[in-house]
Amino acid sequence: MTTGLAVNGKGISPFLGALMANMMTSLQTSATGITAGKRKFIEDRRDQPFDKLLRLHVWQTESTSRYRDIMVRKQDGFTHILLSTKSSENNSLNPEVMKKLQSALSMAGADGSKLVLLCAVGSVFCCGLDLVYFIRRLTDDRKRESARMAEAIRSFGNTFIQFTKPIIVAVNGPAIGLGASILPLCDLVWANEKAWFQTPYTTFGQSPDGCSTVMFPKVMGGASANEMLLCGRKLTAQEACVKGLVSRVFWPGTFTQDVMDCIKELDSCNPVVLEESKTLGRCNMRLELEQANERECEVLKKIWGSRRAWIPCSSTCRGRSMSC
């Protein structure tokens, strides 16, 4: 489709309005009604859900720093970063959110923290890029906003690639798009059994990000990587563990305690040993990952900045199809 993105002077054009509505419908369908059922999900749980416990622990701690979209808690030996976005839905990532996460990681890399625990508040871990945020800004200057978003993703990815201390991720719910693709850039991924993972890039009319074109084949093999990157296959937590995307899967009722127990074990290790062990395992991959990150972002910038409108295929499969 070659329809332009002209604005009629009174806001977003009908084309953009339809595109945004289409995208939101597809994302909500892919997330299996998470937004609508979020409150009921929390209230119905009788096992003290992970997000409630995190809120309690964090809010009762004086050493917590509260940003607009994240919370950072400095604990003995490690930094606890919680994604809790106010400027996007379902912990989605826009340039502002990514900058806050990068800032928190930068501080953790420079202080006495042995490692970083990354998780999220709510029933969703991360829904990836905030595409609605992005589309709204295409009306100003398509190429400029495309370059800005691509650069934000490149910088965000490099922060994970270059971080020298172990990053442990506790995935409490769905991880979609960039929220899933950054997981192999971390060192340990622990998942709630109710979590699931999906990278529906073709559904949303974009190419892969987060070094997934390199790390997914390394982690799970070429065939499984293609199913996720090209066909948007959804993996359960157990499937993701079998394929190597997840390190361990914990029972929902004991998820919080299991995560904290494992963190305490790592926290008892010598910080030099932890850092040097990570360096040995990653030293030969850093340049390859930085180059992959650069390539992926250049392709994204090209797609987003093209005169041809990029439109998700939600009109036909709406994210439900296992193939595109």
Side-chain angles (χ1 to χ4, degrees):
M1 180 176 290
T2 58
T3 306
L5 294 175
V7 180
N8 58 16
K10 298 182 180 180
I12 298 174
S13 67
F15 171 78
L16 273 179
L19 177 56
M20 289 166 59
N22 209 15
M23 279 188 144
M24 285 303 295
T25 299
S26 181
L27 181 57
Q28 288 169 356
T29 301
S30 181
T32 322
I34 288 169
T35 302
K38 187 174 181 179
R39 182 173 300 175
K40 186 177 184 301
F41 174 83
I42 293 175
E43 292 175 349
D44 289 348
R45 291 280 297 279
R46 296 181 180 179
D47 53 4
Q48 287 190 302
F50 185 56
D51 59 287
K52 278 188 176 180
L53 288 176
L54 286 178
R55 289 180 189 272
L56 179 64
H57 293 328
V58 171
W59 289 345
Q60 289 182 344
T61 305
E62 294 181 359
S63 59
T64 297
S65 298
R66 185 70 173 90
Y67 298 86
R68 175 177 171 80
D69 296 298
I70 65 172
M71 288 182 283
V72 181
R73 181 185 181 189
K74 295 293 183 179
Q75 296 186 275
D76 292 337
F78 71 96
T79 296
H80 195 171
I81 302 175
L82 298 100
L83 188 61
S84 178
T85 59
K86 302 298 182 183
S87 59
S88 65
E89 291 289 333
N90 291 329
N91 293 331
S92 297
L93 301 172
N94 57 45
E96 284 71 25
V97 176
M98 288 187 275
K99 284 180 181 178
K100 294 295 189 302
L101 283 170
Q102 289 176 256
S103 177
L105 286 172
S106 178
M107 288 189 293
D111 63 20
S113 300
K114 295 180 183 180
L115 52 88
V116 169
L117 172 62
L118 176 62
C119 48
V121 172
S123 58
V124 179
F125 175 69
C126 179
C127 274
L129 291 179
D130 188 350
L131 294 178
V132 173
Y133 170 98
F134 178 43
I135 292 172
R136 285 173 178 164
R137 282 153 180 78
L138 287 180
T139 59
D140 298 328
D141 187 322
R142 189 180 187 87
K143 289 188 176 181
R144 183 189 66 191
E145 292 301 324
S146 298
R148 178 171 176 261
M149 181 66 88
E151 174 56 27
I153 297 171
R154 188 194 67 81
S155 178
F156 184 66
N158 280 344
T159 298
F160 283 84
I161 294 168
Q162 298 164 4
F163 196 75
T164 59
K165 299 177 181 179
I167 301 177
I168 292 84
V169 186
V171 183
N172 58 305
I176 303 171
L178 187 58
S181 64
I182 62 169
L183 297 179
L185 298 180
C186 303
D187 301 287
L188 292 170
V189 180
W190 299 330
N192 186 317
E193 192 175 39
K194 292 188 176 181
W196 50 267
F197 307 81
Q198 188 177 27
T199 52
Y201 293 121
T202 52
T203 299
F204 295 116
Q206 72 170 76
S207 54
D209 51 25
C211 298
S212 55
T213 55
V214 170
M215 289 305 295
F216 274 23
K218 283 183 180 291
V219 167
M220 63 183 76
S224 294
N226 287 338
E227 280 194 318
M228 289 197 69
L229 297 178
L230 300 180
C231 302
R233 179 183 175 185
K234 184 196 299 184
L235 298 181
T236 65
Q238 292 290 353
E239 289 173 330
C241 189
V242 170
K243 292 181 180 296
L245 185 63
V246 167
S247 309
R248 297 176 67 179
V249 177
F250 295 118
W251 183 250
T254 59
F255 184 52
T256 302
Q257 190 60 51
D258 290 338
V259 167
M260 292 306 173
D261 288 345
C262 292
I263 287 293
K264 288 179 181 178
E265 291 181 10
L266 284 172
D267 190 33
S268 65
C269 298
N270 184 293
V272 176
V273 173
L274 285 174
E275 191 167 339
E276 291 297 334
S277 297
K278 174 171 179 172
T279 300
L280 287 172
R282 295 279 181 147
C283 63
N284 294 326
M285 298 174 58
R286 177 167 170 171
L287 180 59
E288 180 184 11
L289 292 176
E290 289 175 348
Q291 292 175 342
N293 190 29
E294 183 74 28
R295 288 194 303 270
E296 289 174 356
C297 291
E298 283 298 316
V299 173
L300 284 171
K301 183 167 62 174
K302 179 180 178 181
I303 291 173
W304 290 335
S306 171
R307 290 185 177 181
R308 298 186 63 188
W310 50 283
I311 302 177
C313 64
S314 56
S315 59
T316 55
C317 71
R318 294 193 178 276
R320 291 192 291 266
S321 175
M322 296 298 289
S323 63
C324 301

